Amino acid sequence: MKWFCTQLHQLHDPSVEVWAGTPGPATEVPARVEMIAAALDGDAAFTAGEVREHGRDPIEQVHEPALIRWLESAWAECRPHSAYPEIFPDTVRHAGMMEGLADQAEPTSSPLARLGYWCFDTMTPMVEGTYQAARGAVDVALSATDAVLSGDRAAYALCRPPGHHAARSAIGGFCYFNNAAVAASAMLEASGGPVAILDVDYHHGNGTQQIFYDRAEVLYVSLHGDPDRAFPYYTGRAAETGTGKGSGATRNFPLAARCTDQEYLAVLETALDVIAASGAAGLVVSLGLDTYELDAICDLGLTRDGFWRIGRRVERLGLPTVIVQEGGYHLAHLGINARSWLRGFIGAEPGSAGPQRHERSGGSLPPRHLLPQHL
Ligand code: SP5
Ligand code: ZN
């Protein structure tokens, strides 16, 4: 299988994010890609493909053009407002603030107004290289899509930053451009046939759901931690099934904490039946590995062997498949978990794990930056 990656992701290198008002070390870091790349590099089953630039047009198919324009200069215009390498919104445009008011337009007055207009949380840092890295991730997804459209059975896009929380007009959840949605849109345009997205990240892909919620020709199916306890909290319930022409083309499967491989695979059967029955001509997988039993920020119970079985089962759908990397935060095991999923997909034996550590933690890489003292 070909896999795609660029070094541009390194330009997005935040050290801090803010959870419930408390600053802490960044979770979505460059080492994530390095761990996965190292695992695939040494495996003859995977061949590095060439990443080509695709420009802005494919992004405009799924994102508001004004969002793309803003992101391009957001760091530069926000820079005077932060003494640190990252900036976060301090005032988001809450829906209730605007209720009943006629003027819903994008603000032009202040950089912080624009940041709070486009970004919905405090966990999505903007740094100097964020835009370039996000553009690179889209090019990775589109290059993998090109490979599949040219006849490859499947391809893996090692995207970073991830994408599935980014909506048509909002960034959040570590996501800026929705790589999987751009890939699905490109696949739909090239094939003409219906396309399915299977989202197996721990978190509900609110952005992908929103982008295609009224579209019949893009089926969105997601398994995720129940939003009653898990980010992004407001979306991902089973009752959300699409609207208008898209009615029935969104399906959500919220999961209980500690869900095992066996329980997960049983729900996956139902989800894949929906995809098989849809007549989809192609598949995009939003592959999050934060469903792992040792992932520090999530609470499902999947194992490396479970990832292999899930990859194997998804392959049996028999569809041309673009696999797009989303989350996954156990750095020490991220590479072997990704490799296990992908080896399952291609029907290769799981392969050796190499040394493993078993605490539920972010991993064994060098310590992250200390927080600024006043924080
Ligand atoms: C792509 C992706 O995986 N984005 C995830 C964004 C999650 N943001 C963190 C949410 C805060 C969760 N707090 C959990 C406390 C665990 N002890
Ligand atoms: Zn996630």
Side-chain angles (χ1 to χ4, degrees), residues 3 31-47 156 158 289 304 325 331-343 350-354:
W3 64 287
R32 297 181 56 246
V33 162
E34 288 153 22
M35 298 306 283
I36 298 174
L40 300 186
D41 249 339
D43 186 332
F46 302 97
T47 313
Y156 172 58
L158 179 39
L289 297 161
R304 183 169 58 99
Q325 187 62 46
L331 287 177
H333 299 178
L334 188 54
I336 53 168
N337 284 342
R339 179 166 165 253
S340 183
W341 201 104
L342 295 169
R343 285 181 71 89
S352 75

Short mmCIF file of all heavy atoms in Angstrom, two decimals, residues 3 31-47 156 158 289 304 325 331-343 350-354:
data_model
loop_
_atom_site.label_atom_id
_atom_site.label_comp_id
_atom_site.label_asym_id
_atom_site.label_seq_id
_atom_site.Cartn_x
_atom_site.Cartn_y
_atom_site.Cartn_z
N TRP A 3 1.73 5.07 0.99
CA TRP A 3 1.37 6.01 2.05
C TRP A 3 1.97 7.37 1.75
O TRP A 3 2.97 7.48 1.04
CB TRP A 3 1.76 5.50 3.42
CG TRP A 3 3.23 5.32 3.66
CD1 TRP A 3 4.04 4.36 3.14
CD2 TRP A 3 4.08 6.12 4.49
NE1 TRP A 3 5.31 4.50 3.59
CE2 TRP A 3 5.37 5.58 4.44
CE3 TRP A 3 3.86 7.25 5.31
CZ2 TRP A 3 6.45 6.11 5.14
CZ3 TRP A 3 4.93 7.79 6.01
CH2 TRP A 3 6.21 7.21 5.92
N ALA A 31 5.47 14.77 16.93
CA ALA A 31 5.97 13.42 17.19
C ALA A 31 4.97 12.34 16.80
O ALA A 31 5.36 11.20 16.50
CB ALA A 31 6.34 13.28 18.66
N ARG A 32 3.69 12.67 16.76
CA ARG A 32 2.67 11.69 16.36
C ARG A 32 2.98 11.15 14.96
O ARG A 32 2.95 9.94 14.71
CB ARG A 32 1.27 12.33 16.38
CG ARG A 32 0.83 12.77 17.78
CD ARG A 32 -0.59 13.37 17.76
NE ARG A 32 -1.52 12.42 17.20
CZ ARG A 32 -2.17 12.60 16.05
NH1 ARG A 32 -2.03 13.73 15.37
NH2 ARG A 32 -2.97 11.66 15.60
N VAL A 33 3.23 12.08 14.04
CA VAL A 33 3.53 11.65 12.66
C VAL A 33 4.86 10.90 12.61
O VAL A 33 4.99 9.90 11.90
CB VAL A 33 3.55 12.87 11.71
CG1 VAL A 33 4.28 12.53 10.41
CG2 VAL A 33 2.13 13.32 11.41
N GLU A 34 5.82 11.39 13.38
CA GLU A 34 7.14 10.73 13.35
C GLU A 34 7.03 9.28 13.82
O GLU A 34 7.69 8.39 13.26
CB GLU A 34 8.13 11.53 14.20
CG GLU A 34 8.53 12.86 13.54
CD GLU A 34 8.93 13.94 14.53
OE1 GLU A 34 9.32 13.61 15.67
OE2 GLU A 34 8.84 15.13 14.16
N MET A 35 6.21 9.02 14.82
CA MET A 35 6.06 7.65 15.31
C MET A 35 5.44 6.74 14.24
O MET A 35 5.87 5.61 14.03
CB MET A 35 5.19 7.61 16.58
CG MET A 35 5.76 8.37 17.75
SD MET A 35 7.43 7.89 18.21
CE MET A 35 7.14 6.36 19.07
N ILE A 36 4.42 7.24 13.57
CA ILE A 36 3.76 6.42 12.54
C ILE A 36 4.68 6.23 11.34
O ILE A 36 4.83 5.12 10.81
CB ILE A 36 2.41 7.04 12.11
CG1 ILE A 36 1.44 7.09 13.31
CG2 ILE A 36 1.80 6.25 10.96
CD1 ILE A 36 0.13 7.81 13.04
N ALA A 37 5.34 7.32 10.93
CA ALA A 37 6.24 7.24 9.77
C ALA A 37 7.36 6.23 10.04
O ALA A 37 7.72 5.43 9.17
CB ALA A 37 6.81 8.61 9.45
N ALA A 38 7.89 6.24 11.25
CA ALA A 38 8.98 5.31 11.59
C ALA A 38 8.50 3.86 11.50
O ALA A 38 9.23 2.98 11.03
CB ALA A 38 9.50 5.61 13.00
N ALA A 39 7.25 3.62 11.91
CA ALA A 39 6.72 2.25 11.87
C ALA A 39 6.50 1.77 10.43
O ALA A 39 6.71 0.59 10.12
CB ALA A 39 5.42 2.17 12.67
N LEU A 40 6.10 2.68 9.54
CA LEU A 40 5.82 2.27 8.15
C LEU A 40 7.09 2.21 7.32
O LEU A 40 7.21 1.39 6.40
CB LEU A 40 4.80 3.22 7.51
CG LEU A 40 3.44 3.30 8.20
CD1 LEU A 40 2.48 4.16 7.38
CD2 LEU A 40 2.83 1.93 8.45
N ASP A 41 8.02 3.11 7.65
CA ASP A 41 9.29 3.18 6.91
C ASP A 41 10.02 1.84 6.86
O ASP A 41 10.58 1.47 5.84
CB ASP A 41 10.23 4.19 7.60
CG ASP A 41 10.42 5.43 6.75
OD1 ASP A 41 10.19 5.34 5.53
OD2 ASP A 41 10.80 6.47 7.32
N GLY A 42 10.00 1.15 7.98
CA GLY A 42 10.76 -0.09 8.04
C GLY A 42 9.96 -1.31 7.60
O GLY A 42 10.38 -2.44 7.85
N ASP A 43 8.82 -1.11 6.95
CA ASP A 43 7.93 -2.23 6.60
C ASP A 43 7.76 -2.28 5.07
O ASP A 43 7.22 -1.35 4.47
CB ASP A 43 6.58 -2.01 7.28
CG ASP A 43 5.65 -3.19 7.11
OD1 ASP A 43 5.76 -3.92 6.10
OD2 ASP A 43 4.77 -3.39 7.97
N ALA A 44 8.22 -3.36 4.49
CA ALA A 44 8.21 -3.49 3.02
C ALA A 44 6.80 -3.51 2.43
O ALA A 44 6.63 -3.33 1.22
CB ALA A 44 8.97 -4.75 2.60
N ALA A 45 5.78 -3.70 3.26
CA ALA A 45 4.41 -3.70 2.75
C ALA A 45 3.94 -2.29 2.37
O ALA A 45 2.90 -2.14 1.73
CB ALA A 45 3.46 -4.29 3.80
N PHE A 46 4.70 -1.26 2.80
CA PHE A 46 4.28 0.11 2.56
C PHE A 46 5.32 0.87 1.74
O PHE A 46 6.52 0.77 2.00
CB PHE A 46 4.03 0.82 3.89
CG PHE A 46 2.99 0.12 4.73
CD1 PHE A 46 3.36 -0.77 5.73
CD2 PHE A 46 1.64 0.31 4.47
CE1 PHE A 46 2.40 -1.45 6.47
CE2 PHE A 46 0.67 -0.38 5.20
CZ PHE A 46 1.05 -1.25 6.21
N THR A 47 4.84 1.62 0.74
CA THR A 47 5.72 2.37 -0.15
C THR A 47 5.35 3.85 -0.09
O THR A 47 4.17 4.19 -0.24
CB THR A 47 5.50 1.91 -1.62
OG1 THR A 47 5.49 0.49 -1.65
CG2 THR A 47 6.59 2.45 -2.53
N TYR A 156 -2.93 5.29 2.11
CA TYR A 156 -2.96 5.84 3.47
C TYR A 156 -2.39 7.26 3.48
O TYR A 156 -1.26 7.48 3.06
CB TYR A 156 -2.16 4.95 4.41
CG TYR A 156 -1.95 5.51 5.80
CD1 TYR A 156 -3.04 5.85 6.61
CD2 TYR A 156 -0.68 5.70 6.32
CE1 TYR A 156 -2.86 6.35 7.88
CE2 TYR A 156 -0.47 6.19 7.60
CZ TYR A 156 -1.57 6.52 8.38
OH TYR A 156 -1.39 7.03 9.64
N LEU A 158 -1.13 10.07 5.78
CA LEU A 158 -0.67 10.36 7.15
C LEU A 158 -0.79 11.86 7.39
O LEU A 158 0.19 12.60 7.37
CB LEU A 158 0.76 9.84 7.35
CG LEU A 158 1.44 10.07 8.71
CD1 LEU A 158 0.47 9.88 9.87
CD2 LEU A 158 2.63 9.14 8.86
N LEU A 289 -6.78 6.60 16.16
CA LEU A 289 -6.30 5.48 16.99
C LEU A 289 -6.39 5.85 18.46
O LEU A 289 -5.76 5.22 19.31
CB LEU A 289 -4.87 5.12 16.56
CG LEU A 289 -4.82 4.61 15.10
CD1 LEU A 289 -3.41 4.70 14.53
CD2 LEU A 289 -5.36 3.19 14.99
N ARG A 304 -4.20 -3.49 20.10
CA ARG A 304 -3.49 -3.54 18.82
C ARG A 304 -4.07 -4.64 17.94
O ARG A 304 -4.22 -4.48 16.73
CB ARG A 304 -2.00 -3.76 19.06
CG ARG A 304 -1.18 -3.75 17.80
CD ARG A 304 0.30 -3.70 18.15
NE ARG A 304 0.68 -4.83 18.98
CZ ARG A 304 1.27 -5.94 18.51
NH1 ARG A 304 1.54 -6.06 17.24
NH2 ARG A 304 1.59 -6.91 19.33
N GLN A 325 -5.53 9.75 8.30
CA GLN A 325 -5.22 9.77 9.73
C GLN A 325 -5.93 10.91 10.44
O GLN A 325 -5.90 12.06 9.99
CB GLN A 325 -3.70 9.90 9.94
CG GLN A 325 -3.27 9.77 11.40
CD GLN A 325 -3.61 8.40 11.98
OE1 GLN A 325 -3.38 7.38 11.33
NE2 GLN A 325 -4.21 8.38 13.16
N LEU A 331 1.73 8.15 22.19
CA LEU A 331 2.86 8.26 21.26
C LEU A 331 3.66 6.98 21.15
O LEU A 331 4.03 6.57 20.04
CB LEU A 331 3.78 9.40 21.71
CG LEU A 331 3.26 10.82 21.50
CD1 LEU A 331 4.25 11.82 22.06
CD2 LEU A 331 3.04 11.07 20.02
N ALA A 332 3.93 6.34 22.26
CA ALA A 332 4.83 5.18 22.23
C ALA A 332 4.26 4.03 21.42
O ALA A 332 5.01 3.25 20.83
CB ALA A 332 5.15 4.73 23.65
N HIS A 333 2.93 3.91 21.35
CA HIS A 333 2.31 2.80 20.63
C HIS A 333 1.61 3.23 19.35
O HIS A 333 1.00 2.40 18.67
CB HIS A 333 1.31 2.06 21.53
CG HIS A 333 1.94 1.47 22.76
ND1 HIS A 333 1.21 0.81 23.72
CD2 HIS A 333 3.23 1.43 23.17
CE1 HIS A 333 2.02 0.41 24.69
NE2 HIS A 333 3.25 0.78 24.39
N LEU A 334 1.67 4.51 19.03
CA LEU A 334 0.90 5.01 17.89
C LEU A 334 1.36 4.38 16.58
O LEU A 334 0.54 4.00 15.73
CB LEU A 334 1.00 6.54 17.84
CG LEU A 334 0.11 7.27 16.84
CD1 LEU A 334 -1.35 6.89 17.02
CD2 LEU A 334 0.29 8.79 17.00
N GLY A 335 2.66 4.24 16.41
CA GLY A 335 3.19 3.67 15.17
C GLY A 335 2.77 2.23 14.98
O GLY A 335 2.29 1.83 13.91
N ILE A 336 2.92 1.43 16.02
CA ILE A 336 2.57 0.01 15.86
C ILE A 336 1.06 -0.17 15.73
O ILE A 336 0.60 -1.08 15.03
CB ILE A 336 3.12 -0.86 17.03
CG1 ILE A 336 2.69 -0.31 18.37
CG2 ILE A 336 4.63 -1.02 16.93
CD1 ILE A 336 2.96 -1.28 19.51
N ASN A 337 0.30 0.71 16.35
CA ASN A 337 -1.15 0.59 16.20
C ASN A 337 -1.60 0.95 14.78
O ASN A 337 -2.44 0.25 14.19
CB ASN A 337 -1.86 1.49 17.21
CG ASN A 337 -1.82 0.90 18.62
OD1 ASN A 337 -1.57 -0.30 18.79
ND2 ASN A 337 -2.06 1.73 19.62
N ALA A 338 -1.04 2.01 14.22
CA ALA A 338 -1.38 2.38 12.84
C ALA A 338 -0.97 1.26 11.88
O ALA A 338 -1.73 0.86 11.00
CB ALA A 338 -0.69 3.69 12.46
N ARG A 339 0.23 0.77 12.10
CA ARG A 339 0.74 -0.29 11.23
C ARG A 339 -0.13 -1.54 11.34
O ARG A 339 -0.42 -2.21 10.34
CB ARG A 339 2.19 -0.59 11.61
CG ARG A 339 2.85 -1.69 10.82
CD ARG A 339 4.36 -1.66 11.05
NE ARG A 339 5.00 -2.89 10.59
CZ ARG A 339 5.47 -3.83 11.39
NH1 ARG A 339 5.37 -3.71 12.71
NH2 ARG A 339 6.03 -4.91 10.89
N SER A 340 -0.57 -1.84 12.55
CA SER A 340 -1.41 -3.02 12.75
C SER A 340 -2.74 -2.87 11.99
O SER A 340 -3.19 -3.80 11.29
CB SER A 340 -1.66 -3.21 14.25
OG SER A 340 -2.41 -4.37 14.47
N TRP A 341 -3.37 -1.72 12.09
CA TRP A 341 -4.64 -1.46 11.39
C TRP A 341 -4.44 -1.63 9.88
O TRP A 341 -5.20 -2.31 9.20
CB TRP A 341 -5.12 -0.04 11.71
CG TRP A 341 -6.59 0.21 11.49
CD1 TRP A 341 -7.55 0.30 12.44
CD2 TRP A 341 -7.26 0.43 10.22
NE1 TRP A 341 -8.77 0.55 11.86
CE2 TRP A 341 -8.62 0.64 10.51
CE3 TRP A 341 -6.83 0.46 8.89
CZ2 TRP A 341 -9.58 0.88 9.52
CZ3 TRP A 341 -7.80 0.69 7.90
CH2 TRP A 341 -9.14 0.91 8.21
N LEU A 342 -3.37 -1.00 9.38
CA LEU A 342 -3.12 -1.02 7.93
C LEU A 342 -2.72 -2.41 7.45
O LEU A 342 -3.12 -2.84 6.36
CB LEU A 342 -2.03 0.00 7.58
CG LEU A 342 -2.43 1.47 7.85
CD1 LEU A 342 -1.22 2.38 7.74
CD2 LEU A 342 -3.53 1.92 6.88
N ARG A 343 -1.96 -3.14 8.26
CA ARG A 343 -1.61 -4.52 7.88
C ARG A 343 -2.85 -5.41 7.91
O ARG A 343 -2.97 -6.33 7.10
CB ARG A 343 -0.50 -5.07 8.77
CG ARG A 343 0.88 -4.49 8.42
CD ARG A 343 1.98 -5.06 9.31
NE ARG A 343 2.30 -6.45 9.03
CZ ARG A 343 3.20 -6.87 8.13
NH1 ARG A 343 3.87 -5.99 7.40
NH2 ARG A 343 3.43 -8.16 7.96
N PRO A 350 0.00 -9.48 11.56
CA PRO A 350 0.17 -8.28 12.39
C PRO A 350 1.62 -7.80 12.46
O PRO A 350 1.86 -6.60 12.52
CB PRO A 350 -0.33 -8.72 13.76
CG PRO A 350 -1.30 -9.83 13.47
CD PRO A 350 -0.79 -10.52 12.23
N GLY A 351 2.58 -8.69 12.44
CA GLY A 351 3.98 -8.26 12.55
C GLY A 351 4.37 -8.04 14.00
O GLY A 351 3.51 -7.96 14.88
N SER A 352 5.66 -7.90 14.24
CA SER A 352 6.11 -7.79 15.63
C SER A 352 5.89 -6.39 16.16
O SER A 352 5.94 -5.41 15.42
CB SER A 352 7.58 -8.18 15.74
OG SER A 352 8.37 -7.13 15.24
N ALA A 353 5.67 -6.32 17.43
CA ALA A 353 5.33 -5.05 18.05
C ALA A 353 6.56 -4.22 18.38
O ALA A 353 6.49 -3.01 18.45
CB ALA A 353 4.56 -5.30 19.33
N GLY A 354 7.68 -4.85 18.61
CA GLY A 354 8.82 -4.12 19.16
C GLY A 354 8.55 -3.89 20.64
O GLY A 354 7.52 -4.33 21.17
#
